[in-house]
Amino acid sequence: MHTSIASNRAEQLSLRTTDLNPYPTKPRVTFRADGTFKLTVFSDLHYGENPWDAWGPQQDVNSTVLMKLVLASEQPDYVVLNGDLITGENTFRENSTHLIDEIVAPLNAVKIPFSSTHGNHDNEPNITHYEEIIREQEVAPLSYTRLAPPGVGGYGGPGNYWVPVYEKASDSAPILVLWFFDSRGGFSPGANSTAMPDWVDASVATWIKSETAAMTAAWGPASARGALAFVHIPPHVIQPLQAGLNSTRDPGLNADLLGQGSTQATTDPANNGKDDDFWATLNAEVENLHAVISGHDHGNEWCIREPTKDVIFCFDKHSGYGGYSSAGWGHGVRNIVFSSPDPKQGLQTWIRLEDGTTRAQVTLDGRYMRR
């Protein structure tokens, strides 16, 4: 197994240095013929809670029902699983990765391409980000999740990668790049477990620079393509913005106070600034970055413009029946729709609940919070 994993990573690196196509054996992800592209984001599924009683497995059943219902109704072009797929502190070591099989089964059934990020609960004594990624690659033919090159991501953060999206499959260059970043967190594996850093490692900043330079060399100016980024734990610079939310301009549930308890551990004063290299480089090097999308805070759904880098940030919607919740929060997804492949055009995004109702619709474009 270790030999195949090593050869897989070597193959990925070799392919990256030739034609910059990390997925030569998979179908190209494309816009629809009408020029649109729809993503549905499932966040904080939290499979594997309380496997020793009846309550825990029933939550997994409920989450699977939600996934099947939403996929059938929304029919997205691409799906993102934005972290905390598994509640790793509750699972058993011998079968933790098999929860990935349950999570991806609805996606496999409808043959939809997808990517995952991983969260603090995916790094625990009984599971790691690395193990989840490898299992997903083994059991999901249309998973586009992959490992970062060696040395990128820091300890416990191997899930940094990007996925090209083309206007047409025959195009020589993508029109959109989806970026996925590993914010780590949780605890190291094994009996002598210790807390892990819960921010995107500084090594990722250097990698972003090298990747964007390679993209420009292979595909031409970055101004010709758009970008969208996903990470599980929100950067700490978002915390002070919560006080200035406007429920009309920035609609959506706002029930989690950032920085309290486990809802955003990166705001611990001792950790502030640790993700600055990542945040600054992402916004400096990735042009036409439409938004940065996070999960982690189950009670938040809002979007806001982060003024220091002039980029829009959005929370997801808590999808899973596992993980903390409260009466009235509900479960659902964030939908994101590109109405055109033009990288200068804005996006439509909204929260869709399990029962089909929608809320918090906003247009993410240059006029958002500037009207």
Side-chain angles (χ1 to χ4, degrees):
M1 181 175 177
H2 292 296
T3 301
S4 64
I5 292 169
S7 63
N8 184 40
R9 297 192 73 174
E11 181 184 4
Q12 289 177 357
L13 289 173
S14 174
L15 290 166
R16 197 191 74 75
T17 59
T18 54
D19 61 2
L20 208 62
N21 178 14
Y23 305 103
T25 62
K26 294 182 186 291
R28 281 190 166 183
V29 181
T30 64
F31 277 66
R32 297 181 185 183
D34 65 1
T36 63
F37 183 67
K38 182 178 184 179
L39 300 102
T40 293
V41 187
F42 295 89
S43 189
D44 296 88
L45 287 166
H46 282 278
Y47 274 65
E49 294 198 353
N50 290 40
W52 48 81
D53 61 27
W55 179 90
Q58 183 59 49
Q59 306 320 301
D60 295 350
V61 170
N62 294 343
S63 297
T64 298
V65 168
L66 180 146
M67 290 186 72
K68 290 180 176 179
L69 187 155
V70 169
L71 290 170
S73 175
E74 298 295 330
Q75 299 188 350
D77 302 298
Y78 203 83
V79 162
V80 175
L81 308 177
N82 204 10
D84 280 356
L85 281 65
I86 294 173
T87 302
E89 63 269 33
N90 280 183
T91 60
F92 300 116
R93 181 69 189 166
E94 60 270 19
N95 64 358
S96 289
T97 58
H98 290 279
L99 290 164
I100 294 295
D101 303 33
E102 292 185 46
I103 295 167
V104 304
L107 301 169
N108 286 345
V110 295
K111 295 182 171 59
I112 189 166
F114 72 97
S115 286
S116 299
T117 69
H118 299 84
N120 44 302
H121 289 278
D122 296 304
N123 267 337
E124 291 288 347
N126 292 325
I127 195 67
T128 67
H129 292 190
Y130 181 85
E131 291 168 330
E132 288 191 21
I133 292 170
I134 295 302
R135 183 64 181 178
E136 185 178 308
Q137 292 176 335
E138 290 173 346
V139 300
L142 288 179
S143 165
Y144 286 69
T145 307
R146 56 192 170 99
L147 297 166
V152 174
Y155 181 52
N160 299 281
Y161 63 100
W162 50 267
V163 176
V165 181
Y166 298 82
E167 184 175 357
K168 302 185 300 295
S170 59
D171 288 348
S172 59
I175 199 70
L176 172 68
V177 177
L178 305 176
W179 292 85
F180 300 90
F181 299 106
D182 197 323
S183 51
R184 303 181 292 172
F187 291 85
S188 60
N192 299 316
S193 185
T194 58
M196 302 185 71
D198 54 354
W199 56 86
V200 179
D201 187 70
S203 63
V204 174
T206 302
W207 173 78
I208 291 172
K209 290 180 181 179
S210 67
E211 295 299 285
T212 53
M215 291 173 182
T216 298
W219 302 330
S223 57
R225 54 188 172 273
L228 188 64
F230 296 89
V231 63
H232 180 68
I233 300 176
H236 77 273
V237 295
I238 303 304
Q239 182 182 6
L241 305 182
Q242 188 173 28
L245 286 173
N246 179 312
S247 60
T248 300
R249 181 196 64 199
D250 317 311
L253 186 67
N254 178 30
D256 253 342
L257 181 61
L258 302 187
Q260 281 198 345
S262 63
T263 57
Q264 195 184 21
T266 41
T267 55
D268 185 320
N271 296 340
N272 276 359
K274 294 291 180 64
D275 58 7
D276 281 353
D277 288 347
F278 157 70
W279 189 245
T281 303
L282 171 65
N283 286 283
E285 300 294 330
V286 178
E287 292 191 40
N288 298 323
L289 180 58
H290 292 288
V292 178
I293 315 292
S294 287
H296 195 53
D297 296 274
H298 298 184
N300 290 334
E301 303 168 356
W302 42 269
C303 297
I304 198 165
R305 187 178 290 275
E306 198 283 293
T308 68
K309 303 302 178 187
D310 195 30
V311 65
I312 299 171
F313 168 89
C314 292
F315 277 108
D316 288 323
K317 175 61 188 169
H318 180 205
S319 304
Y321 276 76
Y324 73 94
S325 189
S326 189
W329 288 9
H331 302 87
V333 297
R334 175 172 290 282
N335 283 323
I336 303 168
V337 173
F338 291 75
S339 60
S340 163
D342 183 346
K344 304 295 185 183
Q345 290 292 316
L347 317 179
Q348 296 293 321
T349 186
W350 65 94
I351 301 300
R352 178 245 155 88
L353 299 177
E354 184 174 15
D355 65 5
T357 60
T358 62
R359 64 190 185 207
Q361 180 161 357
V362 292
T363 301
L364 308 182
D365 61 11
R367 295 179 297 168
Y368 179 64
M369 290 186 65
R370 294 197 181 112
R371 293 181 177 87

